[in-house]
């Protein structure tokens, strides 16, 4: 025979779930790091509106890390300056992050020497940026015991770095570059290109004379008109595809 549902137990379980989720949301809000509530982290600079989500990843060398304004640093993001904690790295910052930067969940930015991320860069989750690489010059020594090679890394403004991309020491990425998911980038990447692969290669580029080559396969998104209200957007979303198609046939002014 089917078992009778224990309504009281289901009610208690639902109540406990709601309590846990509310408590976790409170922990996330309270544990996040901002300039106003730094949680004991002493960054070299942290701009207005910047927030590091809780739970944090590994963070050390904060006096040599400068974060711009209105940055979003996702959960479990690692930010480090120097090879290890408690080093004196001198008077200049090692890791510079510009204004409006988004670092996706689980990303790592390892700055043993200078790493610069320009304004308005967006990183997907689990991006790995490092200024240090293992050396293997001596075939008789374990690789992990050999002194690493270090080269500065620079990522220009306006870039999009896809999920799981790896930016290696010495990379110089230009302005408004798309790095495809899973790409491994080294060397110089010019402005206004798309790179993909391991190692990354230019697969599309933009010039003022020719536009994007090869041409984009989809039309450019139409921006939301200025002055559009949230209520109008919700009403449009409720129309469905047929309603939107009929609306598109209506001439302006009718």
């Amino acid at each position: 025979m089917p078992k009778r549902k224990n309504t009281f137990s289901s009610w208690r379980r639902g109540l406990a779930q709601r309590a846990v989720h509310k408590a976790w949301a409170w922990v996330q809000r309270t544990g996040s790091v901002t300039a106003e509530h730094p949680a004991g982290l002493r960054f070299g600079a942290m701009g207005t509106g910047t927030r590091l989500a809780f739970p944090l990843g590994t963070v050390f060398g904060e006096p040599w890390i400068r974060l711009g304004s209105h940055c979003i640093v996702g959960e479990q993001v690692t930010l480090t300056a120097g090879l290890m904690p408690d080093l004196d790295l001198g008077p200049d910052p090692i890791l510079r992050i510009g204004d409006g930067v988004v670092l996706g969940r689980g990303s790592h930015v390892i700055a043993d020497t200078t790493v610069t991320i320009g304004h308005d860069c967006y990183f997907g989750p689990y991006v790995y940026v490092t200024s240090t690489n293992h050396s293997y010059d001596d075939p008789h020594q374990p690789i992990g015991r050999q002194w690493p090679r270090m080269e500065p890394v620079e990522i220009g403004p306006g870039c999009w770095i896809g999920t799981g991309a790896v930016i290696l020491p010495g990379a110089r990425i230009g302005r408004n570059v798309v790095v495809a998911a899973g790409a491994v980038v080294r060397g110089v990447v010019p402005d206004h290109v798309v790179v993909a692969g391991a190692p990354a290669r230019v697969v599309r580029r933009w010039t003022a004379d020719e536009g994007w080559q090869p041409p984009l396969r989809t039309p450019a998104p139409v921006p939301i008109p200025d002055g559009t209200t949230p209520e109008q957007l919700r009403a449009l979303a409720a129309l469905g595809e047929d309603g939107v198609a009929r609306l598109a046939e209506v001439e302006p002014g009718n």
Side-chain angles (χ1 to χ4, degrees):
M1 294 183 63
K3 294 182 178 180
R4 295 181 61 186
K5 184 177 180 180
N6 190 328
T7 305
F8 182 68
S9 296
S10 298
W11 177 82
R12 286 196 303 178
R13 181 179 178 84
L15 185 63
Q17 284 180 324
R18 288 193 294 273
V20 167
H21 284 287
K22 286 185 177 180
W24 180 243
W26 178 85
V27 168
Q28 288 179 305
R29 290 193 304 270
T30 306
S32 64
V33 174
T34 64
E36 295 76 19
H37 303 284
L41 298 176
R42 300 181 178 180
F43 288 102
M46 179 183 286
T48 303
T50 289
R51 181 179 295 269
L52 281 70
F54 181 87
L56 304 176
T58 301
V59 179
F60 64 77
E62 311 97 273
W64 293 274
I65 299 174
R66 294 186 178 178
L67 297 121
S69 301
H70 304 290
C71 297
I72 299 173
V73 179
E75 297 177 11
Q76 299 288 357
V77 168
T78 289
L79 300 175
T80 66
L83 285 167
M84 60 189 70
D86 302 322
L87 296 178
D88 185 350
L89 303 177
D92 299 321
I94 302 297
L95 172 56
R96 299 178 179 90
I97 297 176
D99 298 335
V101 171
V102 176
L103 301 179
R105 177 189 176 93
S107 293
H108 289 60
V109 183
I110 311 299
D112 296 332
T113 188
T114 56
V115 172
T116 303
I117 299 173
H119 301 316
D120 300 312
C121 286
Y122 291 75
F123 287 40
Y126 307 108
V127 172
Y128 192 88
V129 180
T130 180
S131 63
T132 301
N133 212 346
H134 295 291
S135 60
Y136 48 89
D137 301 73
D138 188 341
H140 306 295
Q141 285 290 331
I143 293 171
R145 294 185 181 180
Q146 299 187 44
W147 192 254
R149 287 185 168 86
M150 301 180 188
E151 292 185 74
V153 172
E154 184 174 350
I155 301 173
C159 291
W160 173 269
I161 312 297
T163 300
V166 177
I167 313 299
L168 292 174
R172 296 286 193 278
I173 299 176
R175 173 185 296 271
N176 281 32
V177 169
V178 175
V179 175
V184 179
V185 181
R186 60 185 304 173
V188 177
V189 177
D191 296 345
H192 306 297
V193 299
V194 179
V195 296
R201 297 284 187 268
V202 174
V203 296
R204 179 173 276 125
R205 67 176 68 240
W206 180 90
T207 65
D209 294 333
E210 297 183 326
W212 285 105
Q213 295 297 328
L216 300 176
R217 293 189 294 269
T218 56
V222 178
I224 297 173
D226 293 338
T228 303
T229 66
E231 291 75 16
Q232 290 171 325
L233 291 176
R234 283 194 289 269
L236 185 63
L239 285 176
E241 292 184 5
D242 292 340
V244 172
R246 289 194 298 271
L247 185 63
E249 295 173 357
V250 177
E251 295 184 5
N254 290 347

